[in-house]
Amino acid sequence: MSGPPPTAWLNTLLGLLQWAQQSLLTLWHTLGLTGEMHGQPAWPWGTRIAGETLLIDLGQARQLGITLIAVALAMLAVLVAMLVRRWRAVALGVAAGFLVVAPWPSAVVLSSAVPTSFHASPTAFSLGSIANGARVYNAACASCHGADGRGEGPLAATLTRWPPTVVGPLLGRHADGELFWHIAHGMRDAQGVATMPAFANRLSDNDIWAVLDYMKVLAASGGVRAGGWPLPLALPALSVRCADAAPEPLNAWRDRQRVRVVAIDAASAGQVPFEDPRFQTLLITPDGTLPSPALPMRARCVVSGRDAWPIFAALAGTTPQTFSGTQLLADRNGWLRARGEPGTTWSDADFLCTSAPRTAEPPRAAGLDTLIARMDAEPVRYVKGGFIH
Ligand code: HEC
């Protein structure tokens, strides 16, 4: 007999631990035992359970998982002891037994925490927030982190420590709240010397969340060229306008359908695709208006505003100049999954958000139906600090 693959049980364990810690924080806050910081309940302890360590150290993760089961069984036995008088002694003995035999993991599974460790971004990864983040990033961060996020800005070589690249697992692995904290309050090396400057007195909380959104776009953009998105990315929150109707938020319009995003400009105006029952079709144009004249049976919903064109171009790993004709596919849960280059047929290599290891084999032509089937069969199971896809 073989157990489920480690990814499945480990992700469940990590998800459970995340939920338990978050619930504890909510309880603590409701009881008035901890206040707020940066607008959300502050984690009052100096440590938290380190999902990122468990991910690397399967042995520790297994031990912690078994210990949690043992603790749950011990609690059950205590309950029995309380309810059934006759069995009290035996049940308490059993409870103690579970606690003794549990393979308690070592302190390695804890890591240091900050008050914002469990904070969630309030931006919904919206186009407006990403555009604001781009402005903040280019003004305050690019000098060290580089315009493309690879950590090779003009000032990088003058620093005692090289800034890390965001084009990799960094932003997917670290808790959003801890990245937020490091931007707001800076970072220091083991000797206490400042490495990353603090921005809390120059940027608002919103600006810091926004710049994190933009860094995720940089990670996606650089990642595409290396063969895949290094972290799962949701379709940004945006507003959709269909023909002459009033604009609607994406989520209401999408209604849990798959979405195909298609970039159309003056050069490709004749190629507005037909409506397709397999997904909702969302057009992106440079100025946020529908290409005219509207053709019958063709897609007629467009993203409002001018921010979408450059941002989606970056997500697709291309430039605004070469974006025309590019397509992106999002699954029913709103995660971006694949990108089709203009004028080519879909292939395996277009599936950019996947847990399958990349092979050196040349990409096989896959066809849109195959990609959609794969997208549905391999849903994104994203647990912060857990497996990426
Ligand atoms: C003076 C150069 C400099 C500037 C300006 C700068 N950074 Fe950094 N940043 C660094 C260095 C160096 C590190 C690595 C610090 C370390 O590991 O001790 C870093 C680390 C980071 C990290 C990784 C944090 C983590 O948890 O590992 C993030 C995210 C980050 N910077 C974001 C930003 C943002 C956003 C801005 C602009 C608002 C910015 N940085 C401006 C130098 C800089």
Side-chain angles (χ1 to χ4, degrees):
M1 204 187 88
S2 63
T7 51
W9 68 260
L10 192 52
N11 254 356
T12 310
L13 177 67
L14 291 171
L16 198 72
L17 291 171
Q18 183 78 5
W19 172 84
Q21 294 180 94
Q22 233 139 17
S23 307
L24 184 64
L25 176 56
T26 309
L27 178 72
W28 231 243
H29 183 241
T30 315
L31 294 176
L33 298 174
T34 183
E36 289 195 354
M37 223 172 180
H38 297 286
Q40 296 179 43
W43 181 254
W45 300 285
T47 50
R48 62 173 172 84
I49 294 173
E52 58 277 23
T53 312
L54 296 177
L55 190 66
I56 302 165
D57 191 340
L58 271 189
Q60 288 281 348
R62 203 169 285 131
Q63 259 170 279
L64 183 64
I66 296 172
T67 302
L68 287 178
I69 294 172
V71 169
L73 291 174
M75 282 162 73
L76 205 66
V78 170
L79 195 70
V80 170
M82 278 158 54
L83 296 177
V84 190
R85 219 177 176 169
R86 212 150 31 95
W87 292 354
R88 185 160 296 167
V90 177
L92 286 178
V94 169
F98 275 127
L99 295 183
V100 170
V101 298
W104 295 91
S106 68
V108 180
V109 300
L110 295 177
S111 79
S112 58
V114 294
T116 59
S117 278
F118 290 90
H119 285 194
S121 173
T123 66
F125 196 52
S126 71
L127 284 184
S129 171
I130 298 169
N132 178 32
R135 282 186 288 275
V136 173
Y137 184 87
N138 288 320
C141 324
S143 54
C144 292
H145 285 272
D148 61 1
R150 289 181 193 273
E152 292 165 8
L155 289 185
T158 66
L159 306 173
T160 49
R161 182 170 292 181
W162 206 265
T165 177
V166 301
V167 185
L170 179 82
L171 301 177
R173 287 268 159 83
H174 289 239
D176 285 340
E178 291 183 0
L179 295 167
F180 175 96
W181 184 265
H182 290 154
I183 299 170
H185 302 286
M187 291 171 80
R188 296 179 175 277
D189 65 15
Q191 282 75 45
V193 180
T195 50
M196 153 83 195
F199 286 90
N201 54 0
R202 273 183 277 168
L203 300 177
S204 67
D205 287 0
N206 259 341
D207 284 344
I208 296 178
W209 288 118
V211 81
L212 273 172
D213 282 344
Y214 180 65
M215 288 178 115
K216 288 177 187 165
V217 174
L218 288 177
S221 191
V224 172
R225 280 166 229 144
W229 287 314
L231 74 166
L233 294 145
L235 269 175
L238 46 82
S239 92
V240 182
R241 220 153 30 78
C242 297
D244 299 325
E248 259 190 294
L250 171 76
N251 275 342
W253 172 81
R254 184 169 69 78
D255 192 26
R256 296 192 66 79
Q257 302 292 311
R258 305 180 196 103
V259 176
R260 169 178 57 173
V261 176
V262 186
I264 297 287
D265 67 359
S268 52
Q271 297 157 25
V272 174
F274 287 100
E275 292 288 2
D276 187 315
R278 293 173 292 184
F279 28 61
Q280 305 267 61
T281 300
L282 182 58
L283 303 177
I284 298 183
T285 57
D287 63 359
T289 59
L290 273 176
S292 58
L295 301 168
M297 311 293 292
R298 307 281 179 127
R300 52 197 196 106
C301 293
V302 66
V303 184
S304 318
R306 290 171 185 272
D307 289 333
W309 187 270
I311 290 172
F312 275 87
L315 287 170
T318 167
T319 64
Q321 292 74 32
T322 53
F323 185 41
S324 175
T326 306
Q327 306 200 4
L328 290 159
L329 287 184
D331 65 20
R332 290 182 185 279
N333 298 322
W335 295 108
L336 289 166
R337 305 302 297 271
R339 180 233 29 201
E341 286 176 281
T344 59
T345 47
W346 293 93
S347 81
D348 266 0
D350 295 319
F351 204 70
L352 295 183
C353 175
T354 169
S355 52
R358 303 228 150 241
T359 58
E361 289 169 30
R364 282 173 296 140
L368 200 46
D369 279 330
T370 316
L371 276 191
I372 289 173
R374 193 166 158 202
M375 201 162 92
D376 290 352
E378 297 174 25
V380 173
R381 293 195 194 84
Y382 186 32
V383 178
K384 261 291 173 180
F387 280 92
I388 293 302
H389 290 293

